[in-house]
Amino acid sequence: MVTSSTARKLHLAVAQLGPVQRADSRKQVVLRLLELLKDAASRGAAWVTFPELALTTFFPRWDMDDSAEIRAFFETEMPGPETRPLFDAARELSVGFYLGYAELDGDRQFNTSILVGRDGTILGKYRKIHIPGDAATVSGAALQHLEKKYFAVGDLGFPVWETPDAKIGMCICNDRRWPETFRVMGLQGVDVVMNGYNTPSGYVQWNEPIHLRMHHHLLSLQSAAYQNACWIASAAKAGVEEGSPMIGGSAIVAPTGEVMVRTFSEDDEVINFVCDLSVCEYYRANIFNFAAHRRPEHYGLILERTGAGAPLARP
Ligand code: CDV
């Protein structure tokens, strides 16, 4: 780990959730989130990252058609009556947080995260852009992942919010596997990217050894943090949910690419680390001085193609 004489310290925590079952009420889940928030605050953390779709079970594993059944997994207001205690606690404890949830905006459905400031107000919203999986059940597959059925592609881009503590950005689960996610935030000088995820150990579209799930998760975070000179705080919803095992491995990763702390359980668990934001500046001034070394004139294909055989961007 690189150290600096002009350290800019920021104490981050990641609050991993163990499984949330379908029968678990919002109230029960929010009580767990509150315990984790208090735990993080008691350790001195200023910001906490919670998982993707933290308020419910990871429902895209099921193919549902009844609109009332589907809408029960979505929030129509934030904060709502059940989630308001989290915002109150943030203000009382002076701890900001990232929270992932399913958002119903009119008749549009998004996989969303919000950034709540240390005063308990919403500073920003992000809607997941890289939506994995399928829009309809894959016949014959033992596992389904139907995020494309339930969520529209996010329409808010990858903004970065200038808080009194740091420039903070957000992404959600599968976004972490795409270098573009972090480069767009890196080009805004992001200090900390918060990420929540639900990564099943098995997947409908490919069949790779389970140990590679953790390897690729950490590989994505470590390379993204290093190549964009930022800290990443990444929170899992882990353990066996409704019979479906999901990886843990929540982590705080430094701009050096090193994992500074990570979870080892698949239960509710807080990890924390006092991050030095000046390390971001050190890397940005040297090996990743973007203004000095990037060559965007040679990167045109990134905006012209979605894939090697797909020259046209999707609408
Ligand atoms: N919730 C996710 O986006 N999960 C994906 C799985 C489907 C691969 C992930 O990237 O972890």
Side-chain angles (χ1 to χ4, degrees):
M1 180 67 194
V2 174
T3 51
S4 148
S5 54
T6 52
R8 260 200 318 136
K9 296 291 172 68
L10 184 62
H11 197 153
L12 298 181
V14 164
Q16 175 174 288
L17 272 177
V20 174
Q21 308 303 345
R22 189 170 188 164
D24 296 343
S25 68
R26 294 283 196 291
K27 196 171 175 193
Q28 287 171 314
V29 178
V30 168
L31 282 174
R32 286 166 63 185
L33 295 173
L34 280 170
E35 281 310 305
L36 292 164
L37 193 76
K38 287 179 197 158
D39 184 347
S42 73
R43 301 175 191 210
W47 291 88
V48 179
T49 303
F50 290 121
E52 172 192 36
L53 299 175
L55 299 172
T56 65
T57 198
F58 188 72
F59 61 89
R61 69 173 68 92
W62 296 310
D63 194 351
M64 299 174 283
D65 287 316
D66 181 80
S67 60
E69 186 184 11
I70 294 168
R71 293 205 162 174
F73 292 103
F74 283 77
E75 311 303 310
T76 52
E77 55 179 337
M78 191 58 70
E82 289 127 332
T83 45
R84 185 168 296 282
L86 275 174
F87 291 70
D88 295 341
R91 192 180 59 252
E92 282 154 24
L93 300 167
S94 187
V95 177
F97 65 85
Y98 161 117
L99 178 73
Y101 63 99
E103 178 195 7
L104 184 63
D105 177 15
D107 58 3
R108 300 187 308 159
Q109 297 174 180
F110 295 103
N111 188 338
T112 295
S113 61
I114 45 168
L115 187 66
V116 175
R118 297 172 66 180
D119 61 354
T121 63
I122 296 178
L123 301 180
K125 178 187 282 190
Y126 168 73
R127 289 169 168 164
K128 186 174 182 178
I129 286 176
H130 299 99
I131 308 282
D134 306 290
T137 287
V138 177
S139 71
L143 298 163
Q144 303 293 333
H145 193 107
L146 296 164
E147 280 197 67
K148 280 189 162 69
K149 170 173 178 150
Y150 297 117
F151 302 120
V153 173
D155 58 352
L156 302 175
F158 291 106
V160 163
W161 289 271
E162 190 134 10
T163 77
D165 293 328
K167 284 189 186 176
I168 301 178
M170 297 188 275
C171 66
I172 300 179
C173 196
N174 191 260
D175 286 322
R176 74 197 188 287
R177 303 185 195 273
W178 301 92
E180 295 87 347
T181 298
F182 293 92
R183 183 49 49 96
V184 171
M185 290 190 264
L187 287 168
Q188 298 169 77
V190 73
D191 296 309
V192 178
V193 177
M194 300 182 179
N195 165 261
Y197 61 99
N198 286 258
T199 298
S201 306
Y203 190 55
V204 55
Q205 289 177 331
W206 77 88
N207 184 19
E208 62 180 10
I210 282 180
H211 75 274
L212 289 179
R213 297 296 149 84
M214 187 60 72
H215 174 66
H216 291 152
H217 157 64
L218 293 174
L219 182 69
S220 299
L221 298 182
Q222 290 180 257
S223 55
Y226 171 60
Q227 291 170 348
N228 295 284
C230 63
W231 288 86
I232 300 179
S234 188
K237 175 129 68 56
V240 182
E241 258 193 15
E242 298 291 344
S244 166
M246 297 189 299
I247 66 166
S250 303
I252 297 176
V253 181
T256 55
E258 293 166 285
V259 176
M260 304 315 295
V261 59
R262 60 166 284 189
T263 57
F264 285 95
S265 80
E266 293 182 346
D267 299 320
D268 292 10
E269 180 179 348
V270 172
I271 52 172
N272 59 301
F273 192 76
V274 179
C275 305
D276 180 357
L277 302 186
S278 75
V279 179
C280 309
E281 286 149 27
Y282 180 76
Y283 274 79
R284 277 183 215 137
N286 291 288
I287 186 80
F288 293 123
N289 181 337
F290 286 175
H293 306 306
R294 289 186 76 248
R295 294 289 167 220
E297 68 273 26
H298 292 290
Y299 306 155
L301 281 182
I302 287 178
L303 289 184
E304 289 164 22
R305 295 189 174 173
T306 49
L312 296 178
R314 282 188 296 267

